[in-house]
Amino acid sequence: MADRHPNRDLRALREAELHMSRPELAKALNEQAKRMGENIGCTARLIAAWEDGDVACPRAVYRRVLTAYTGRTLHQLGFALPESRPAGQGKPTDADDGDEGSGSVNRRSFLRDGVGVALALPAAVRVAGRIGVTEVRAVTAAVTTLYGHDHDHGSGPLRRAANEALHTAYSWLQAGTYTDRTGTRLRTATGNLSIAAGWLSYDSGRPADAHSLYGEALAAARIAADRALEAHAFGCLSLLAKAQGRPREAVANAQGAQAVARHLGSPRLLALFHAREAGGWALMGDRQATDAAIVRAHHHYAAGPAETDPGWLEFFTPAELAGLEALARADLGQHERAAAGAEQAVLLHGSAFARNRALYTADIAIQHASGHRPEPEAAAEAAGRVIAFLPDVRSDRLLQSLHGVAGALQRHARVPAVADWIEQYRTITAPQGGRA
């Protein structure tokens, strides 16, 4: 998805004129801020976010430091200038918010939903830079907000705001003043926010960013001695490894998550990690190990919910368990069982978790088209249901799944229902270069 505009001017200035790496420029800006009496926590990752276009325009304090250090205006530095509005004008209109090109509609919906406001962490670290319970709660609330909107709408409108919130949280850790207890709680909350941002990066087709963010969360868990966060990070790394075709790593990380989660008193958390392990074994083609892991997942899940279940685990419903098993069956080439399991997942989800329903519906179409006894009409019917989720659900994984559906159906293009769907798919994707 074309949702960002790389800042080539800033990168050219850094590389060709200043002859600095990103860490060197970040250090120089921090030193400039100190000379100006400002308190910032610039990092190489923030420089990368500016240069990659993830942040269209820095916050005011960074704008002051950047212009003072470089002697250039924001326009000369390649940033989109922030719009000034008369006092009392209220929320921006559709015409006001046109700096994101094809992503402007998402941005406007994002603002109207109030997600941007909810993720705007309070302005701390001002005079004394004192961090307390208010800031910790703000980070925790941001995580809850992210997951809630992601389940229904996908990662498209959220990833940028999540990264900005995460940068603010890290600046509090680096530059704030707090007690040991508050520091531990803030580090745990920031680690959870890092996982949420990593998930959005993964769902947006940025696996390298996701891997880095999950690694940061794992480090935060180790420092804070937080087993729940550590298990979560291992589980995410397992998911990412499978998605990137590294099944042994997926199994190892899932087993690492299980080793930590055994001490947390959450059977359903263990069930999730056994399901993750099953996915790794299936990708290796080990049917026996896959079946054993699936049995363990169902066994732990049957123990029911527990008070110690983490809040983020709410997505792991019976529908999701059925869906994860279906994905494993698909990797084993058990197409009919995979299609039936994915259909069960969609039905059990009901009206919740729109993005997951869309993904499993795409799996239904692929399995019907790919089985030993393909059912092209059933595949086309499911594929039509997938398109109905657009554009409300924005997820690079969903777009990739649609591409996979089109590839699977192509071999049945002579079937009228399939031909009609392929034409619809081409019509929808043509304006954006073949991608919805």
Side-chain angles (χ1 to χ4, degrees), residues 3-23:
D3 63 345
R4 58 178 181 171
H5 304 281
N7 188 334
R8 296 182 178 86
D9 293 336
L10 179 63
R11 181 168 185 170
L13 173 66
R14 176 178 62 80
E15 294 180 340
E17 296 187 34
L18 298 178
H19 302 289
M20 287 181 170
S21 65
R22 286 172 173 171

Side-chain angles (χ1 to χ4, degrees), residues 353-384:
F353 301 104
R355 190 264 321 287
N356 288 7
R357 283 188 287 127
L359 288 169
Y360 286 128
T361 304
D363 290 328
I364 295 168
I366 291 173
Q367 300 312 314
H368 278 312
S370 305
H372 302 299
R373 290 176 291 179
E375 301 180 51
E377 289 86 359
E381 186 276 330

Side-chain angles (χ1 to χ4, degrees), residues 141-152:
V143 175
T144 302
T145 300
L146 282 173
Y147 282 132
H149 284 261
D150 169 69
H151 289 325
D152 291 332

Side-chain angles (χ1 to χ4, degrees), residues 7-83:
N7 188 334
R8 296 182 178 86
D9 293 336
L10 179 63
R11 181 168 185 170
L13 173 66
R14 176 178 62 80
E15 294 180 340
E17 296 187 34
L18 298 178
H19 302 289
M20 287 181 170
S21 65
R22 286 172 173 171
E24 288 173 337
L25 179 56
K27 181 180 178 181
L29 293 178
N30 287 330
E31 292 173 349
Q32 175 68 37
K34 288 181 180 179
R35 291 192 291 271
M36 297 169 60
E38 301 280 12
N39 194 351
I40 66 173
C42 191
T43 63
R45 189 174 63 190
L46 180 59
I47 302 296
W50 292 342
E51 293 182 353
D52 293 343
D54 288 333
V55 177
C57 186
R59 292 189 290 120
V61 62
Y62 285 102
R63 296 199 295 268
R64 293 193 295 270
V65 174
L66 276 165
T67 54
Y69 180 75
T70 64
R72 310 286 180 91
T73 66
L74 283 180
H75 179 73
Q76 291 171 329
L77 291 172
F79 289 113
L81 298 177
E83 296 180 5

Side-chain angles (χ1 to χ4, degrees), residues 153-239:
H153 303 293
S155 60
L158 301 173
R159 183 180 52 79
R160 183 175 300 172
N163 286 338
E164 291 176 354
L166 184 60
H167 171 72
T168 299
Y170 271 117
S171 74
W172 293 349
L173 278 171
Q174 295 167 4
T177 302
Y178 41 76
T179 65
D180 289 343
R181 181 182 179 185
T182 296
T184 297
R185 294 177 62 193
L186 178 60
R187 192 170 297 279
T188 291
T190 302
N192 284 316
L193 181 57
S194 186
I195 283 182
W199 166 255
L200 297 174
S201 293
Y202 163 69
D203 195 52
S204 298
R206 300 166 184 265
D209 291 347
H211 191 275
S212 176
L213 289 162
Y214 290 154
E216 290 178 10
L218 185 58
R222 296 276 176 79
I223 294 172
D226 189 311
R227 285 182 167 180
L229 177 58
E230 183 178 3
H232 194 182
F234 269 126
C236 290
L237 287 168
S238 175
L239 172 67

Side-chain angles (χ1 to χ4, degrees), residues 71 78 87 97 107 138 153 169 212 214 220 267 302 317 342 344 372 407 410:
D97 196 27
R107 178 63 172 169
H153 303 293
S212 176
Y214 290 154
T317 61
Q344 181 186 19
H372 302 299
Q410 192 62 49

